[in-house]
Amino acid sequence: MSGCSADAGSEQSTDKNVKLTVATFNEFGYDDLFAEYEKANPNVTITHKKAATSNEARDNLTTRLAAGSGLSDVEAIEVDWLPELLQYSDQFIDLTSDDVKDRWLDWKSEAATDADGRLIAYGTDIGPEAVCYRSDLFAAAGLPTDRAEVATMLGDSWESYYAAGETFAAAGTNVPWFDSAGATWQGVVNQIPNAYEEEDGTIIATENPEVKEAYTSVLEASSTLSAHLGQWSDDWTASFQNDGFATMLCPGWMLGVISGNAEGVTGWDIADTFPGGGGNWGGSYLTVPEQSKNQAEAQKLAAWLTAPEQQLKAFASKGTFPSQLEALESEELLGATNEFFNNAATGEILANRAAAVDVTPFKGEFYFPINDAMQQALTRVEDGTMTPDESWAQFETDVASLG
């Protein structure tokens, strides 16, 4: 690994004062890392712009990309909207460098490489998923609380996960089993190889029987088990403080979100299992737009933030699970525990969950808008605006309008 990755890039910095802006969303675990970088590079000042959601960050980026100005020096993007941006790969600098060659899992870097072989983004994290749960609420319902016993009870299928929820509900806790249909959908759809598009770009979302079957099964479970909370809404955030639900699907990056929203709440734990076997939800990248006036310094910072040493620190801080080969093999990662989640061995658990992922879903140019339309379809049913059939019909109309 290059020397620049371990010592905050100090040997590559110049004496010129540089002000860098970095745009992220949700929780990347970078606050302490920015302070560390600035200390090692006194001429560099970093301003962090953090959007509340991935959708908000995407809207900001695409608006300013179209305007030709206003983007940050480093822009974080999510894997679900990366395919859209590859259409405009010339708007991002080529980050290819011998210093970062072979740093990531092959599929992680290949997804950010355009048709001309230009690497337009450095991988940050991946999102192997487990099931997070409230052990205190499980105890109140007479269910197991030990995480190994909970994993057995939850099983490894969607049917067994929903059945455990029905058992929990039958105990009379009056607490919903999971947070929302939309969040549960994210777990299901990432197990379908070609949910919305064929490899040649043909949109199949409304004709794909796997999608319709998954839509129906998620809404059937939602009718009795969901808190009907829109994920990332104010009500969803507040629900962590008032026993809003007992379980949720949790990729590594969600651990920091849970511990932040549930600060002061005890009882959260994590089970080493996932419905359907394995699944990856999300994971992000860092880009340097052509608009940046500080491209060289921005690339240095992006390379440093995505080096294994820093990704291990981000994982320790907020649970963002590394995508770098060296980090994935480190004893530090595999031995990591998380005090908030009852000292669970989160490094080992998420490594196991990553190993269980056996589907890499194809995500083409229209993946994000189609999935957003599906999220709206599920929400319309959960908030009572439409029946499942009416909302599916609206989904078909929305998808047709994209072509």
Side-chain angles (χ1 to χ4, degrees):
M1 189 53 57
S2 67
C4 68
S5 63
D7 61 358
S10 56
E11 84 278 14
Q12 294 190 13
S13 295
T14 68
D15 293 331
K16 179 183 176 182
N17 289 331
V18 178
K19 294 182 179 180
L20 295 176
T21 52
V22 180
T24 69
F25 49 88
N26 295 343
E27 184 56 79
F28 279 60
Y30 283 171
D31 290 343
D32 290 343
L33 292 177
F34 289 149
E36 181 181 342
Y37 193 86
E38 289 177 325
K39 184 177 181 180
N41 300 274
N43 62 314
V44 176
T45 302
I46 299 170
T47 299
H48 188 194
K49 301 177 179 179
K50 184 160 69 173
T53 67
S54 170
N55 289 45
E56 181 181 326
R58 174 180 172 272
D59 290 345
N60 288 336
L61 189 149
T62 54
T63 298
R64 288 165 175 74
L65 196 66
S69 65
L71 289 175
S72 294
D73 296 297
V74 177
E75 288 276 348
I77 61 175
E78 194 195 350
V79 62
D80 285 1
W81 31 290
L82 171 61
E84 294 178 83
L85 299 181
L86 283 171
Q87 301 175 84
Y88 319 108
S89 63
D90 60 343
Q91 297 298 308
F92 301 90
I93 73 167
D94 184 3
L95 298 173
T96 305
S97 166
D98 289 340
D99 288 342
V100 300
K101 185 179 180 183
D102 299 325
R103 174 182 280 184
W104 294 277
L105 294 164
D106 288 344
W107 61 266
K108 186 72 174 178
S109 54
E110 287 171 2
T113 303
D114 70 8
D116 296 325
R118 301 168 69 250
L119 180 67
I120 69 161
Y122 288 159
T124 58
D125 62 318
I126 55 177
E129 295 187 88
V131 178
C132 289
Y133 66 98
R134 284 281 300 275
S135 63
D136 55 329
L137 298 179
F138 274 34
L143 299 181
T145 59
D146 174 80
R147 65 181 68 96
E149 295 178 5
V150 169
T152 299
M153 177 190 70
L154 296 176
D156 59 3
S157 70
W158 290 103
E159 291 78 10
S160 60
Y161 173 64
Y162 296 148
E166 296 293 353
T167 301
F168 176 81
T173 59
N174 294 318
V175 175
W177 180 240
F178 59 74
D179 52 344
S180 73
T184 305
W185 175 261
Q186 291 300 117
V188 175
V189 74
N190 279 303
Q191 294 174 332
I192 302 175
N194 289 79
Y196 304 139
E197 300 164 276
E198 296 285 13
E199 308 283 337
D200 63 2
T202 304
I203 296 176
I204 58 172
T206 56
E207 294 85 25
N208 188 344
E210 287 185 281
V211 172
K212 184 62 182 294
E213 181 181 347
Y215 171 83
T216 301
S217 65
V218 168
L219 287 177
E220 286 179 352
S222 162
S223 66
T224 57
L225 301 177
S226 174
H228 299 172
L229 295 165
Q231 199 166 43
W232 313 114
S233 67
D234 290 343
D235 287 343
W236 179 80
T237 300
S239 71
F240 285 87
Q241 291 289 330
N242 56 16
D243 298 345
F245 45 87
T247 72
M248 67 182 299
L249 309 182
C250 55
W253 50 265
M254 190 67 83
L255 303 187
V257 176
I258 295 173
S259 60
N261 290 341
E263 184 176 5
V265 176
T266 59
W268 278 99
D269 210 319
I270 177 171
D272 188 357
T273 189
F274 190 73
N280 182 83
W281 176 7
S284 299
Y285 295 83
L286 299 182
T287 67
V288 178
E290 283 286 348
Q291 294 179 20
S292 170
K293 305 299 184 186
N294 305 292
Q295 294 180 4
E297 289 290 341
Q299 183 174 358
K300 290 177 192 174
L301 174 59
W304 184 80
L305 287 169
T306 56
E309 297 86 346
Q310 281 61 254
Q311 288 309 290
L312 289 171
K313 293 175 184 176
F315 175 72
S317 173
K318 298 297 180 183
T320 50
F321 197 72
S323 60
Q324 301 81 357
L325 294 171
E326 186 175 312
L328 289 169
E329 296 169 353
S330 79
E331 293 183 3
E332 180 181 347
L333 177 73
L334 297 177
T337 59
N338 190 312
E339 183 178 2
F340 181 84
F341 289 88
N342 193 24
N343 294 310
T346 48
E348 179 182 2
I349 290 171
L350 291 173
N352 291 341
R353 294 297 88 220
V357 176
D358 57 4
V359 173
T360 302
F362 175 75
K363 298 184 178 182
E365 175 185 346
F366 293 102
Y367 182 88
F368 186 88
I370 294 174
N371 197 52
D372 190 54
M374 173 58 76
Q375 288 289 341
Q376 294 177 41
L378 296 166
T379 298
R380 287 191 294 268
V381 178
E382 285 215 303
D383 67 15
T385 305
M386 291 185 179
T387 67
D389 287 344
E390 291 170 343
S391 195
W392 177 264
Q394 181 62 53
F395 171 68
E396 291 179 317
T397 299
D398 293 343
V399 171
S401 71
L402 295 172

